[in-house]
């Protein structure tokens, strides 16, 4: 079986969010599952892709890609990494800019890319059985396939899958784009139109054989207006092709036993796990400039997140006084909206000994924070899957999350009586519900008596978190089943 992933970002080449991590892992996981699969990935050749990769790419050929009334140049480059071939599509007008998104012509840029994905097959000779597109940036490719390529050899039986990583972003533009820029007419025009706009994600929902979200709970949630960002009608009408498969994480790269950033390394089987976690915590507190307590142990709560409304930063800001009134320390690492950055700076100024906001992108520090923290707070308003709660659990940082989307599917509330569960949860998007969950989590922690029930709970919930199975293998199997069901 031949599978081609089309994506606007992919680790290790370019990343703005979890989409890049998924595209960096799922193709490899499929290949490991079944080495006879031919899995390839195609992405734009952005200016931001590091020179070392550019130097190693080979030029395969070029082609002009018709889009509406224009013909646009497209160079095709290839690069092999760990058994996967990556194709990079070059057009300097569209992609030689700093950054990936946020330009006035993003609609045209990614319509071009989506069309170029199909057109470039004539250069590479790689016609997949399944074209797997991701989010709005590539969602219109299945519609272009139907509108312009279906009758040509190579494309006739090609099937399509659309993954929805975040339904908030839909590629919505003025509807003149559909005919004037994308060149679509007739029924294809209607498929790209939604509520009077161009909607590239909706085009993908219409044209793809399967629509897969990144967790089963999110697949249910987006059938309702609270979560659907206006797409509930079309999703309910196309429910027959909608499902959810939870993402995994890279267990090799994220292993507290051999990650070089983590001192000392630790494993769930260590008899002195708590002491090693404490050593990691002291180290990270020192780096952050927060005081370390030698007499009593204070839990460190971490948030590592994009600072957007999706992530529930508003709840934290609303309840921060009550949280920080307790004997806790908190670190937030992330970048994002200015209003959140400035609110966090203000909290830091008010609680300099207890709270630290690191408002920059620092991968090495993030590993240390996962390893050094006791709890990981993620009160998302919505969360299609969420990867950081899984990373946190792997590093023994117990999640405190809102029961939504992938958080609901990966974090099981801890029950002391049964010793089951791997985190603490709350239901409503409400600051006081979140506060209650934080208090429940911390209550377990503060026990000084090492033979007490709550101290045992503290250790059990941490171990449960560390042993939860977030490997890609399970999910890759499910994707493969979906592919087989359509071809
Ligand atoms: C988006 C979602 C996140 C998900 C990721 C990868 O970033 O917001 O929940 O984990 O995509 O699928």
């Amino acid at each position: 079986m031949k599978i081609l992933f089309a994506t606007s970002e992919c680790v290790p080449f370019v990343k703005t969010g979890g989409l890049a991590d998924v595209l960096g892992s799922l193709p490899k996981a499929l290949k490991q599952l079944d080495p006879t699969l031919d899995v390839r990935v195609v992405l734009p050749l952005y200016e931001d892709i590091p020179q070392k990769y550019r130097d190693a790419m080979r030029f395969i050929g070029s082609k002009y890609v018709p889009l509406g009334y224009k013909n646009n140049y497209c160079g095709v480059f290839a690069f092999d990494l760990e058994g996967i071939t990556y194709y990079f599509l070059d057009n300097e007008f569209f992609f030689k800019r700093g950054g990936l998104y946020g330009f006035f012509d993003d609609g045209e840029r990614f319509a071009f890319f989506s069309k170029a994905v199909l057109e470039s097959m004539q250069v590479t000779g790689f016609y997949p059985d399944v074209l797997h597109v991701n989010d709005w940036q590539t969602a219109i490719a299945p519609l272009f396939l139907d509108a312009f390529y279906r009758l040509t050899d190579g494309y006739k039986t090609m099937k399509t899958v659309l993954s929805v990583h975040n339904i908030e972003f839909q590629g919505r533009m003025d509807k003149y784009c559909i005919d004037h820029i994308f060149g679509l007419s007739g029924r294809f025009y209607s498929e790209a139109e939604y509520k009077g706009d161009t909607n590239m994600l909706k085009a993908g929902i219409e044209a793809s054989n399967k629509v897969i979200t990144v967790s089963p709970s999110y697949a249910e949630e987006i059938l309702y207006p609270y979560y659907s960002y206006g797409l509930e009608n079309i999703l309910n009408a196309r429910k027959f092709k909608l499902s959810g498969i939870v993402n995994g994480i890279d267990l090799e790269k994220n292993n507290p036993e051999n990650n070089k950033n983590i001192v000392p390394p630790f494993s769930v089987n260590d008899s002195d796990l708590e002491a090693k976690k404490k050593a990691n915590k002291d180290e990270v507190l020192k780096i952050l400039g927060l005081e370390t307590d030698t007499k009593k142990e204070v839990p460190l709560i971490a948030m590592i997140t994009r600072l957007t409304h999706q992530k529930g930063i508003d709840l934290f800001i609303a309840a921060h006084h009550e949280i920080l009134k307790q004997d806790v320390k908190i670190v937030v690492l992330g970048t994002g909206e200015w209003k959140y950055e400035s609110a966090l700076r203000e909290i830091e100024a008010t609680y300099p000994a207890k709270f630290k906001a690191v408002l920059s992108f620092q991968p090495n520090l993030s590993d240390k924070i996962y390893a050094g923290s006791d709890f990981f707070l993620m009160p998302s308003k919505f969360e299609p899957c969420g990867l950081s709660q899984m990373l946190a659990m792997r590093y023994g940082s117990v999640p405190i999350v809102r029961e939504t989307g992938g958080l609901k599917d990966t974090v099981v509330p801890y029950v002391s009586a049964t010793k089951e569960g791997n985190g603490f949860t709350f239901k409503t998007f409400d600051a006081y519900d979140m506060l209650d969950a934080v208090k429940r989590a911390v209550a377990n922690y503060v026990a000084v008596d090492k033979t007490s029930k709550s101290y045992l709970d503290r250790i059990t919930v941490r171990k449960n978190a560390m042993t939860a199975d977030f490997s890609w293998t399970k999910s890759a199997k499910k994707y493969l089943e979906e592919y087989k069901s359509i071809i």
Side-chain angles (χ1 to χ4, degrees):
M1 192 194 299
K2 291 183 283 183
I3 304 154
L4 179 64
F5 286 92
T7 178
S8 60
E9 44 185 283
C10 178
V11 160
F13 310 106
V14 267
K15 166 172 171 172
T16 70
L19 168 64
D21 293 310
V22 173
L23 270 294
S25 320
L26 175 58
K28 281 182 214 153
L30 282 163
K31 188 90 190 155
Q32 267 164 19
L33 186 67
D34 179 353
T36 67
L37 296 175
D38 191 345
V39 190
R40 308 188 189 188
V41 181
V42 56
L43 63 153
L45 184 61
Y46 299 105
E47 173 80 348
D48 289 11
I49 293 176
Q51 194 60 39
K52 66 169 178 192
Y53 296 120
R54 293 168 166 273
D55 290 345
M57 290 175 191
R58 27 177 226 284
F59 179 72
I60 301 191
S62 69
K63 199 151 195 312
Y64 276 81
V65 178
L67 186 69
Y69 61 89
K70 282 198 265 181
N71 274 329
N72 303 282
Y73 170 84
C74 174
V76 184
F77 290 82
F79 177 68
D80 299 315
L81 185 68
E82 297 173 39
I84 307 285
T85 297
Y86 296 85
Y87 293 118
F88 295 86
L89 304 186
D90 176 34
N91 176 300
E92 294 197 344
F93 174 71
F94 288 127
F95 299 120
K96 196 175 177 177
R97 309 178 185 188
L100 271 57
Y101 320 121
F103 301 98
F104 81 99
D105 56 348
D106 278 357
E108 184 177 1
R109 294 170 70 227
F110 289 101
F112 161 75
F113 176 65
S114 300
K115 193 113 187 260
V117 164
L118 295 157
E119 196 76 24
S120 64
M121 292 171 188
Q122 296 167 23
V123 177
T124 61
F126 186 68
Y127 293 90
D129 300 301
V130 178
L131 172 63
H132 189 151
V133 302
N134 293 274
D135 276 353
W136 73 268
Q137 293 91 338
T138 47
I140 202 162
L143 185 57
F144 285 153
L145 170 61
D146 287 346
F148 302 112
Y149 298 90
R150 253 320 163 203
L151 303 178
T152 310
D153 280 343
Y155 300 93
K156 288 179 178 158
T157 59
M158 198 178 288
K159 302 294 183 199
T160 51
V161 172
L162 165 65
S163 273
V164 178
H165 299 261
N166 191 335
I167 209 161
E168 181 179 1
F169 305 107
Q170 300 174 3
R172 271 173 79 169
M173 276 132 316
D174 191 287
K175 75 172 175 224
Y176 88 92
C177 289
I178 304 175
D179 43 0
H180 291 250
I181 295 188
F182 303 169
L184 293 164
S185 59
R187 95 164 156 91
F188 305 115
Y189 182 101
S190 320
E191 294 196 0
E193 193 260 355
Y194 194 59
K195 299 185 175 171
D197 290 333
T198 304
N199 191 313
M200 294 168 82
L201 188 64
K202 186 262 186 178
I205 295 169
E206 292 279 23
S208 302
N209 295 106
K210 290 270 174 189
V211 178
I212 306 181
T213 66
V214 285
S215 70
S217 288
Y218 192 60
E220 297 235 329
E221 287 171 347
I222 56 175
L223 296 172
Y224 299 91
Y226 186 89
Y227 291 100
S228 71
Y229 283 88
L231 288 178
E232 75 277 6
N233 292 340
I234 184 68
L235 285 166
N236 276 285
R238 304 289 176 264
K239 203 172 153 183
F240 63 90
K241 53 172 146 174
L242 177 66
S243 62
I245 300 175
V246 78
N247 292 327
I249 53 170
D250 190 326
L251 299 181
E252 299 279 296
K253 286 200 186 111
N254 298 291
N255 184 350
E257 286 176 72
N258 58 25
N259 182 327
K260 299 257 171 334
N261 291 322
I262 289 169
V263 193
F266 58 90
S267 122
V268 69
N269 302 316
D270 289 341
S271 57
D272 55 349
L273 172 63
E274 292 299 309
K276 284 183 172 156
K277 279 288 292 181
K278 165 97 167 60
N280 273 279
K281 176 162 60 184
D282 288 345
E283 161 84 7
V284 88
L285 289 174
K286 213 163 66 198
I287 294 172
L288 296 171
L290 291 170
E291 60 193 29
T292 41
D293 238 311
T294 40
K295 277 175 254 99
K296 64 174 186 259
E297 223 194 316
V298 174
L300 175 64
I301 304 175
M303 292 176 88
I304 298 177
T305 179
R306 284 183 285 125
L307 298 172
T308 73
H309 78 113
Q310 174 192 342
K311 301 294 180 177
I313 317 295
D314 294 289
L315 296 192
F316 175 74
I317 292 169
H320 78 273
H321 283 302
E322 279 90 341
I323 297 180
L324 284 159
K325 240 189 252 164
Q326 304 171 80
D327 213 0
V328 297
K329 293 205 166 70
I330 299 182
V331 53
V332 181
L333 172 66
T335 57
E337 284 173 44
W338 179 85
K339 65 171 181 182
Y340 294 129
E341 294 198 355
S342 66
L344 293 171
R345 283 209 180 91
E346 222 167 279
I347 297 175
E348 186 179 290
T350 320
Y351 296 95
K354 292 179 128 180
F355 181 86
K356 182 79 191 174
V358 183
L359 305 174
S360 57
F361 181 66
Q362 300 194 27
N364 292 353
L365 180 60
S366 81
D367 285 354
K368 286 188 194 297
I369 294 177
Y370 282 125
S373 57
D374 296 292
F375 297 103
F376 191 81
L377 179 60
M378 200 163 168
S380 303
K381 186 158 207 276
F382 64 92
E383 198 57 74
C385 178
L387 302 172
S388 39
Q389 82 279 13
M390 294 191 257
L391 295 175
M393 288 158 92
R394 178 103 172 115
Y395 289 106
S397 184
V398 176
I400 306 171
V401 304
R402 183 171 165 251
E403 290 171 24
T404 183
L407 296 174
K408 189 171 168 186
D409 294 342
T410 54
V411 180
V412 182
Y414 182 68
V415 178
S416 176
T418 59
K419 304 272 173 269
E420 277 164 20
N422 50 28
F424 297 87
T425 70
F426 64 100
K427 273 204 172 70
T428 327
F429 190 69
D430 178 289
Y432 282 88
D433 280 1
M434 180 194 73
L435 178 65
D436 177 67
V438 171
K439 284 187 172 166
R440 274 185 277 126
V442 172
N444 258 337
Y445 189 88
V446 288
V448 267
D449 172 4
K450 303 221 154 143
T451 56
S452 72
K453 191 175 131 316
S454 40
Y455 190 79
L456 292 179
D457 278 340
R458 159 180 161 177
I459 294 174
T460 313
V461 68
R462 183 161 4 244
K463 288 193 169 168
N464 289 354
M466 290 179 77
T467 49
D469 176 13
F470 298 128
S471 73
W472 264 107
T473 323
K474 258 193 313 193
S475 306
K477 271 190 195 138
K478 291 190 180 149
Y479 278 105
L480 198 52
E481 277 164 27
E482 295 279 3
Y483 299 154
K484 284 183 180 154
S485 79
I486 52 175
I487 63 175

